[in-house]
């Protein structure tokens, strides 16, 4: 399973608590959606990496959901009935995801559609339906926040199957493992790590999705940086865990849900400087801070950010020990990172303080796909 997970008790931190929001997990230019099927359909999909077979109908409407816990509510954690006993995570193009939203007709009448009879006709003729329902927690309890699901059939389903799908994986064993923990009262179970999925302004308007989810403090930080390419020492220190300021939690919410290349790199460079010089500010820069800013920078998916994150890990002995090593692989991915480090070993040794040939060997040889993607369950997210 190559999806990022997070301990459930940290899942809601930084997420909106009400309103229409699309929550999910992206991977590059793709997004994951979920469906539940019986064994026959699931086996065919896994084997062929597309849907089909004698039990699958392209004329029947099927629903995809980008929100993992909403899928768990609908399938009762793969225990509802035999037709929903297998949970599939489907990686599809984000371009296709937005296309479905753009073509979709709301299943509930909205005045923006004008005449109600026209809406009913459009709904009847559409191959794509959009439905907003109350989101649910892991217990199945309703939340104020609303979640989206997309119904597709006929030509839209054919296009989804033949053009939009990039991979299909069976995550049933993960689901059942977490359900066993829940049933036994174990609080340390995992869910998919999700954030706000930003869609274009036209779709936000169409589905009454708030334009932004940011507090006045975070808006001020962004505005300040956009205008000056820096932020004041006082504002930077509010982002550090030792400050014990409520603004830090507000900024963690922004980091979890959004990407900002310039700001993230500036903050990580500043955090590294704080860590190196204890007298630079009023607060120490802790490993938790370096991890938060490193994760923010990792979203840029660039080798520049790999260099910065390596530098953050190697600031001193304590960061080498306490800075989770899997963070190194977040910008480029596991195998591309190993290949990059191998190809640029001499450059890294020359340009990153403390980086030695054996350091390169450590990252190349000591991290496996099993460890990074399965065993640790994205442990570095604990600082959220």
């Amino acid at each position: 399973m190559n999806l990022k997970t997070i301990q459930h008790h940290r899942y809601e931190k930084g997420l909106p608590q009400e309103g229409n929001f699309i929550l999910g997990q992206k991977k590059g230019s793709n997004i994951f959606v979920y469906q539940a099927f019986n064994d026959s359909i699931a086996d065919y999909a896994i084997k062929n990496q597309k849907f089909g077979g004698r039990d699958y109908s392209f004329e029947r409407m099927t629903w995809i959901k980008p929100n993992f816990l909403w899928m768990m509510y609908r399938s009762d954690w793969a225990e509802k009935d035999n037709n929903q006993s297998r949970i599939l995570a489907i990686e599809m193009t984000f371009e296709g995801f937005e296309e479905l939203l753009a073509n979709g007709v709301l299943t509930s009448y909205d005045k923006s559609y004008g005449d109600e009879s026209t809406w009913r006709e459009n709904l009847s003729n559409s191959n794509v339906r959009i439905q907003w329902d109350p989101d649910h927690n892991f217990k199945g309890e309703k939340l104020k926040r609303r979640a989206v699901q997309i119904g597709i059939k006929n030509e839209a389903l054919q296009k989804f199957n033949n053009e939009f799908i990039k991979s299909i994986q069976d995550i049933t064993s993960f689901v059942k493992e977490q359900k066993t923990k829940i049933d036994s009262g174990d609080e340390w179970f995992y869910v998919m790590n999700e954030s706000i999925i930003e869609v274009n302004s036209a779709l936000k308007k169409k589905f009454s999705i708030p334009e932004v989810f940011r507090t006045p403090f975070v808006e001020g930080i962004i505005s300040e940086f956009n205008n000056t390419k820096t932020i004041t020492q006082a504002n930077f220190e509010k982002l550090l865990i030792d400050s014990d300021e409520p603004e830090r939690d507000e900024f963690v919410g922004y980091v979890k849900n959004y990407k900002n290349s310039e700001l993230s790199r500036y903050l990580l460079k500043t955090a590294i400087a704080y860590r190196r010089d204890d007298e630079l500010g009023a607060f120490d820069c802790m490993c938790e801070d370096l991890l938060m800013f490193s994760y923010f920078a990792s979203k840029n998916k660039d080798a520049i950010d790999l260099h910065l994150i390596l530098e953050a890990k190697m600031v001193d002995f304590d960061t080498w020990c306490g800075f989770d090593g899997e963070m190194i692989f977040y910008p480029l991915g596991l195998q591309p990172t190993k290949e990059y480090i191998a190809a640029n070993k001499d450059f890294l040794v020359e340009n990153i303080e403390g980086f030695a040939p054996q350091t390169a060997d450590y990252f190349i040889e000591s991290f496996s796909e099993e460890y990074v993607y399965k065993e640790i369950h994205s442990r570095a997210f604990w600082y959220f």
Side-chain angles (χ1 to χ4, degrees):
M1 188 178 81
N2 64 351
L3 290 95
K4 294 179 180 177
T5 59
I6 189 171
Q7 290 173 354
H8 173 263
H9 68 278
R10 299 189 180 276
Y11 172 79
E12 286 290 348
K13 191 168 186 178
L15 295 180
Q17 296 303 298
E18 57 183 271
N20 289 359
F21 285 95
I22 300 174
L23 301 181
Q25 183 174 141
K26 292 183 71 176
K27 178 185 175 185
S29 58
N30 299 331
I31 184 173
F32 289 102
V33 294
Y34 305 96
Q35 291 192 279
F37 292 105
N38 59 31
D39 288 337
S40 173
I41 293 175
D43 287 342
Y44 182 97
I46 295 300
K47 180 181 179 180
N48 297 279
Q49 289 296 289
K50 61 173 17 180
F51 291 102
R54 59 182 175 82
D55 294 326
Y56 192 85
S57 172
F58 287 94
E59 296 177 0
R60 181 177 179 271
M61 184 156 283
T62 187
W63 296 83
I64 60 174
K65 305 165 181 65
N67 182 311
F68 174 75
L69 282 178
W70 212 95
M71 183 73 258
M72 294 304 97
Y73 162 70
R74 292 296 296 167
S75 68
D76 193 19
W77 293 83
E79 294 182 351
K80 190 170 185 178
D81 57 48
N82 288 334
N83 285 322
Q84 297 191 61
S85 60
R86 299 276 293 280
I87 310 299
L88 304 183
I90 303 155
E91 182 183 355
M92 66 174 293
T93 66
F94 186 66
E95 182 180 3
F97 182 77
E98 285 198 311
E99 181 178 316
L100 291 177
L101 290 173
N103 292 335
V105 177
L106 280 166
T107 56
S108 299
Y109 174 67
D110 186 281
K111 291 182 179 179
S112 64
Y113 276 95
D115 181 67
E116 186 171 353
S117 62
T118 301
W119 162 75
R120 290 188 182 280
E121 182 178 357
N122 289 338
L123 181 65
S124 177
N125 294 331
S126 178
N127 288 322
V128 184
R129 296 186 178 185
I130 309 298
Q131 186 165 311
W132 290 88
D133 299 283
D135 202 351
H136 291 73
N137 63 20
F138 76 97
K139 297 177 182 178
E141 299 167 338
K142 288 184 180 180
L143 305 177
K144 291 184 179 180
R145 184 176 62 228
R146 299 181 72 79
V148 70
Q149 61 174 331
I150 304 174
I152 45 180
K153 65 178 181 178
N154 297 330
E155 291 85 358
L157 184 53
Q158 291 279 4
K159 189 171 186 180
F160 167 75
N161 196 46
N162 297 325
E163 299 181 30
F164 297 161
I165 291 178
K166 295 303 177 183
S167 72
I168 303 175
Q169 55 187 307
D170 189 342
I171 60 170
T172 309
S173 60
F174 169 80
V175 169
K176 289 184 176 295
E177 179 185 351
Q178 307 320 309
K179 184 60 163 59
T180 298
K181 291 181 179 181
I182 293 169
D183 290 344
S184 66
D186 186 348
E187 297 181 358
W188 299 96
F189 65 94
Y190 292 86
V191 296
M192 299 307 173
N193 185 54
E194 296 178 339
S195 58
I196 294 171
I197 301 298
E198 284 286 283
V199 294
N200 62 57
S201 294
L203 291 176
K204 288 182 177 180
K205 183 177 180 180
K206 178 178 179 179
F207 299 119
S208 301
I209 300 172
E211 190 63 35
V212 294
F213 174 64
R214 297 197 286 260
T215 66
F217 169 74
V218 173
E219 288 285 1
I221 290 286
I222 296 169
S223 177
E224 179 184 10
F225 182 77
N226 287 342
N227 291 330
T228 66
K229 299 306 175 186
T230 186
I231 64 173
T232 64
Q233 179 174 323
N235 276 339
F236 176 78
E237 291 184 349
K238 288 180 180 179
L239 308 181
L240 302 180
I241 197 167
D242 268 2
S243 70
D244 200 28
E245 295 280 356
E247 286 88 348
R248 184 181 190 275
D249 284 342
E250 296 175 17
F251 195 76
V252 165
Y254 175 66
V255 167
K256 183 171 183 178
N257 291 296
Y258 296 98
K259 171 183 168 183
N260 189 322
S261 300
E262 283 191 283
L263 177 59
S264 63
R265 289 166 183 161
Y266 167 82
L267 291 173
L268 182 51
K269 289 176 183 177
T270 304
I272 291 170
Y274 262 65
R275 180 74 187 191
R276 284 180 173 150
D277 187 351
D278 290 338
E279 299 180 358
L280 187 60
F283 300 101
D284 291 333
C285 185
M286 308 295 287
C287 268
E288 293 93 330
D289 301 312
L290 288 171
L291 283 165
M292 177 181 73
F293 296 132
S294 292
Y295 173 68
F296 195 20
S298 77
K299 290 186 166 188
N300 304 326
K301 305 301 179 187
D302 195 292
I304 296 170
D305 307 292
L306 170 60
H307 286 214
L308 281 174
I309 295 171
L310 281 169
E311 189 176 349
K313 181 169 176 60
M314 306 195 67
V315 170
D316 55 39
F317 179 76
D318 287 340
T319 60
W320 172 255
C321 297
F323 186 108
D324 294 324
E326 63 269 17
M327 181 66 76
I328 301 302
F329 300 95
Y330 285 6
L332 304 182
L334 182 69
Q335 194 57 36
T337 300
K338 292 185 176 187
E339 293 171 359
Y340 182 88
I341 291 175
N344 295 276
K345 184 184 295 188
D346 293 341
F347 179 84
L348 296 171
V349 169
E350 184 177 343
N351 288 276
I352 297 179
E353 184 177 344
F355 196 96
Q358 55 265 39
T359 311
D361 295 338
Y362 167 72
F363 287 116
I364 294 170
E365 298 171 3
S366 301
F367 290 83
S368 66
E369 182 175 359
E370 182 75 18
Y371 175 77
V372 171
Y373 294 127
K374 295 182 181 179
E375 292 182 8
I376 61 164
H377 292 292
S378 300
R379 185 181 59 201
F381 289 111
W382 69 270
Y383 53 83
F384 278 148

